[in-house]
Amino acid sequence: MKPILLTLSFLLYLTASLAQTTSDTYVEVLYFHGKQRCVTCKAIEACTREVIDEQFNAQVKEGKVRFRAIDISTPDGEKLADRYRVSRSSLFINGWNNGKESRNDLTLFAFRNARSHTELFKQEVKETIVQLLK
């Protein structure tokens, strides 16, 4: 009976360790927006989602890349916006490693390029995520 319990305990520990590893190290893409959005704001979200869907589908399924669109006009969105000190549409691509966050504010770049230089914007989003996954 003891060997079975030890084996089960070990398997539970191993499973928990693997789940913790996946959730402790990941890239989080945060797109903040208000209730009303301009064409550029919509392009930022659409292009960002497109990159994630096309380039990082496997990493999304593994929990290594996460995308969140946050409406800052809602109570929960407002709390998160306060934490990031944003009051308008913004794009952050952040690396998380064992509870430590590395923030990358791409807001200005996004507004300058999401509509007029779409491929450049997508490439920068992709490269930022790739760097943070290393």
Side-chain angles (χ1 to χ4, degrees), residues 43-61:
I44 292 169
E45 180 180 9
C47 291
T48 303
R49 282 185 187 269
E50 189 176 313
V51 170
I52 292 169
D53 291 345
E54 291 177 3
Q55 304 291 323
F56 300 100
N57 193 22
Q59 291 86 349
V60 169
K61 289 178 182 175

Side-chain angles (χ1 to χ4, degrees), residues 17-88:
S17 296
L18 288 174
Q20 186 176 10
T21 301
T22 300
S23 64
D24 284 345
T25 303
Y26 59 93
V27 174
E28 182 177 47
V29 180
L30 302 174
Y31 168 65
F32 294 92
H33 65 85
K35 189 170 284 253
Q36 295 180 353
R37 296 191 276 172
C38 67
V39 176
T40 303
C41 295
K42 291 176 184 177
I44 292 169
E45 180 180 9
C47 291
T48 303
R49 282 185 187 269
E50 189 176 313
V51 170
I52 292 169
D53 291 345
E54 291 177 3
Q55 304 291 323
F56 300 100
N57 193 22
Q59 291 86 349
V60 169
K61 289 178 182 175
E62 295 170 359
K64 292 182 179 184
V65 174
R66 303 170 187 181
F67 176 84
R68 291 174 52 192
I70 299 121
D71 184 346
I72 62 175
S73 67
T74 66
D76 288 339
E78 186 177 354
K79 288 177 191 173
L80 193 55
D82 286 345
R83 195 171 114 210
Y84 281 84
R85 297 183 178 173
V86 298
S87 58
R88 61 185 178 94

